[in-house]
Amino acid sequence: MSKKFLIKTIFGIFFVAFVISYVIGESGYYEYELANKKYLTEEEMKKFEEDVRNGEDIDLKDYTVETRKDYTNKFTNAVTNTSLTINKYLKKSIESVFGLLNKMIEE
């Protein structure tokens, strides 16, 4: 296996991982999950309002129900961090290329 092929393969894998993470981020899936966390069920809202009327100490965590399972592990965290790092460097590279093109056009 030549070095050129190996480098292209690694770059291709990183590019595919970046595209997948970008699509997930842009699809709104993360925001949807965050929005689901903030909603209280009807029963919990009634209990909360009753506790407010009675003047009890209130902690919002007592009224929320966690229905989401956390499936993250070391691998998914590593892939996410790698993808974010690649995204950061690609963004800097693209900005610098367009900055150079802009300077060349303006001159």
Side-chain angles (χ1 to χ4, degrees):
M1 187 182 306
S2 69
K3 285 184 178 182
K4 194 173 186 179
F5 177 74
L6 183 64
I7 291 172
K8 284 183 179 181
T9 303
I10 291 172
F11 180 74
I13 290 170
F14 283 143
F15 183 74
V16 169
F18 168 75
V19 169
I20 290 171
S21 65
Y22 181 79
V23 168
I24 288 172
E26 290 298 314
S27 69
Y29 176 76
Y30 182 70
E31 287 80 12
Y32 172 75
E33 289 295 320
L34 289 178
N36 282 341
K37 285 184 180 180
K38 72 178 184 176
Y39 294 119
L40 302 174
T41 64
E42 192 172 318
E43 294 173 7
E44 290 149 351
M45 282 192 279
K46 289 179 183 177
K47 182 180 176 190
F48 176 77
E49 290 171 356
E50 184 177 321
D51 288 347
V52 169
R53 274 187 244 120
N54 295 336
E56 297 180 21
D57 288 333
I58 296 173
D59 185 11
L60 190 57
K61 293 179 182 176
D62 296 336
Y63 304 99
T64 57
V65 177
E66 183 65 37
T67 58
R68 180 182 173 268
K69 292 184 180 181
D70 185 17
Y71 293 107
T72 60
N73 55 35
K74 290 180 183 179
F75 178 73
T76 57
N77 291 337
V79 169
T80 301
N81 290 335
T82 303
S83 175
L84 291 174
T85 303
I86 292 170
N87 185 17
K88 182 174 71 173
Y89 289 118
L90 281 175
K91 182 178 177 181
K92 286 181 182 179
S93 300
I94 291 170
E95 287 175 348
S96 64
V97 167
F98 280 111
L100 290 172
L101 288 173
N102 188 28
K103 286 180 183 178
M104 292 171 62
I105 292 172
E106 287 179 353
E107 290 179 2

